[in-house]
Amino acid sequence: MVIELRSDTFTLPTKEMLEAVNPNYLGDDIYGEDSYVLELERKAAEIFDKEASILFPSGTMANLTAIMAHSPRGSKVIVGNESDIYIYEAGGASVCGGIIYEPINTQEDGRLLVQDIERAIPLNKEDPQFSLPSLICIENPHNRMGGRILPLSYLKEMSEYARSKELPIHMDGARIFNASQALNVEPRVISEHVDSLQFCLSKGLSAPIGSMLVGNKDFILKARRIRKMLGGGMRQAGIIARPGIVALNNMVSRLKKDHENAEKFGIGLSKIPGIECNVEKIETNIVFFRVIDERYSLIEFIKLAKYNNLNIDELGYGRIRAVTHSGIDSEDIEQALTIIKKIMK
Ligand SMILES: *Cc1c(COP(=O)(O)O)cnc(C)c1O
């Protein structure tokens, strides 16, 4: 058996998700007639205490749509230089929306500092040389910063700042339930600080496909047109919405186990000579570590692990990423540690 720690996107749908679809409830969602989609969208809006919600085939399309719905052509969107939106989404806002990315330095814990954003905002808005900012995007938890959670006090500060500048905030909350579970708060305690939020059904929640975007009614109405334009309008989308509903019902509270397993893995790693892992930085289901053994390059180490049935991946700057999820139990973690010990012998 392969231990799959490359990503929580490798989670497979549960039997219940696959068996839950009753064809009688399916309909054409472009006409707004798929009962499962309507139910999922109602549920997502309620969980995050927003007026409305819309289903997307992917988080990338949900983020792109959100940016396009908030931002006119020629405006600039403020993003983290380590954000998924900036690094992994193929420049969609520029390509499809004529929008400029303004990358801001990312702190080790995933925050973008207000003072750094301030520098990206032109002092004289009347000066026709400048493109004007239209949106601030923040990521929570932050993937490339190791699954770190944005503190609630920071969200409050950021939302007050954004309001003072009349800028909306979009949160890329691909793994937002990992944050709410780790903080022991209702998701709405996080989303109250932002205007729109994207979350993935397809990661730790283990649904096969789908992401949700939540926000106010007018914003979601705009998003519906943009989604159709981008080719994300789906017909009997209940096929993916129903597993999404099951995911929201059954797969949220168990995320805590993933966090426990991530911590257990980190603690084990930190005790292996030649491995460097800062356990204090593990806040959710993502573990970063380094190999500081001259026998192995990063790529050789990852290959050796794969040869021993352990899948992990590199995530830039010499780091290796391991992600825990519903397909990984405590014994898998022990097994993974045994494999790494063996390699490091
Ligand atoms: C996975 C992810 C996305 C994109 O989701 P896809 O469904 O893979 O397009 C966006 N942001 C973050 C932080 C992610 O981890």
Side-chain angles (χ1 to χ4, degrees):
M1 270 289 281
V2 175
I3 301 171
E4 183 56 78
L5 293 177
R6 280 175 298 173
S7 177
D8 45 7
T9 53
F10 284 92
T11 47
L12 298 174
T14 62
K15 201 161 169 270
E16 193 187 349
M17 289 179 194
L18 295 176
E19 287 174 353
V21 180
N22 177 344
N24 295 333
Y25 289 88
L26 300 175
D28 189 329
D29 181 50
I30 306 287
Y31 288 80
E33 292 182 14
D34 187 291
S35 307
Y36 289 132
V37 174
L38 294 172
E39 185 186 341
L40 174 61
E41 290 178 346
R42 254 195 323 268
K43 197 172 170 64
E46 193 200 311
I47 290 170
F48 290 94
D49 195 23
K50 297 291 183 203
E51 287 173 10
S53 157
I54 173 173
L55 168 68
F56 280 89
S58 71
T60 300
M61 195 189 279
N63 282 334
L64 171 58
T65 298
I67 295 170
M68 288 175 70
H70 283 299
S71 309
R73 293 183 77 79
S75 69
K76 58 184 185 181
V77 53
I78 292 167
V79 294
N81 64 339
E82 291 290 340
S83 65
D84 197 282
I85 288 178
Y86 186 55
I87 295 195
Y88 294 123
E89 301 186 5
S94 294
V95 178
C96 306
I99 297 154
I100 299 151
Y101 294 97
E102 176 87 35
I104 303 286
N105 183 46
T106 308
Q107 301 300 304
E108 244 190 82
D109 60 0
R111 288 175 306 143
L112 310 181
L113 298 182
V114 163
Q115 70 222 51
D116 291 336
I117 293 177
E118 183 73 17
R119 259 182 249 128
I121 297 182
L123 289 175
N124 179 2
K125 286 193 187 163
E126 262 76 73
D127 189 331
Q129 301 177 90
F130 300 127
S131 76
L132 296 178
S134 50
L135 174 67
I136 298 170
C137 292
I138 51 180
E139 185 172 316
N140 188 26
H142 201 294
N143 174 32
R144 281 178 64 89
M145 292 294 144
R148 300 291 296 271
I149 301 167
L150 297 177
L152 293 174
S153 57
Y154 166 76
L155 294 181
K156 184 163 181 285
E157 179 200 357
M158 182 53 71
S159 74
E160 280 166 8
Y161 172 75
R163 210 170 307 131
S164 76
K165 297 290 169 184
E166 296 181 333
L167 288 173
I169 302 178
H170 172 69
M171 181 177 282
D172 179 359
R175 299 184 175 85
I176 196 66
F177 292 99
N178 293 88
S180 64
Q181 285 291 310
L183 292 175
N184 266 316
V185 298
E186 292 295 326
R188 61 179 62 192
V189 173
I190 299 173
S191 56
E192 71 172 302
H193 299 292
V194 302
D195 299 273
S196 60
L197 180 147
Q198 178 277 130
F199 71 91
C200 294
L201 296 162
S202 57
K203 296 205 166 151
L205 297 186
S206 313
I209 302 167
S211 269
M212 305 301 294
L213 179 64
V214 299
N216 73 28
K217 265 192 191 136
D218 288 345
F219 170 79
I220 296 298
L221 211 58
K222 269 192 200 166
R224 281 195 196 283
R225 176 161 284 117
I226 296 166
R227 182 186 68 174
K228 186 70 176 73
M229 180 187 76
L230 295 173
M234 299 173 285
R235 300 300 177 175
Q236 281 74 46
I239 294 273
I240 64 173
R242 184 69 180 108
I245 293 166
V246 174
L248 287 174
N249 287 339
N250 299 352
M251 304 300 278
V252 172
S253 59
R254 63 152 306 287
L255 292 172
K256 284 196 169 143
K257 281 189 207 149
D258 298 344
H259 301 171
E260 282 164 22
N261 283 333
E263 192 179 9
K264 176 174 170 165
F265 190 50
I267 291 171
L269 285 171
S270 68
K271 291 179 183 155
I272 301 173
I275 300 281
E276 210 174 64
C277 178
N278 191 340
V279 181
E280 269 161 29
K281 291 187 180 168
I282 302 170
E283 293 182 344
T284 56
N285 67 331
I286 297 177
V287 180
F288 278 178
F289 63 99
R290 289 170 194 279
V291 178
I292 43 169
D293 184 322
E294 301 203 327
R295 287 174 298 168
Y296 307 119
S297 72
L298 181 70
I299 298 305
E300 280 163 350
F301 180 85
I302 290 170
K303 263 196 201 155
L304 262 176
K306 187 174 171 60
Y307 179 77
N308 285 282
N309 290 325
L310 172 62
N311 284 348
I312 45 182
D313 217 346
E314 66 91 25
L315 215 83
Y317 312 116
R319 303 170 303 184
I320 295 172
R321 186 182 79 158
V323 188
T324 57
H325 53 77
S326 61
I328 296 294
D329 61 21
S330 161
E331 277 161 38
D332 294 321
I333 295 298
E334 277 157 33
Q335 183 63 26
L337 288 167
T338 304
I339 291 167
I340 293 178
K341 273 181 211 151
K342 184 178 132 197
I343 295 172
M344 299 308 286
K345 263 232 178 85

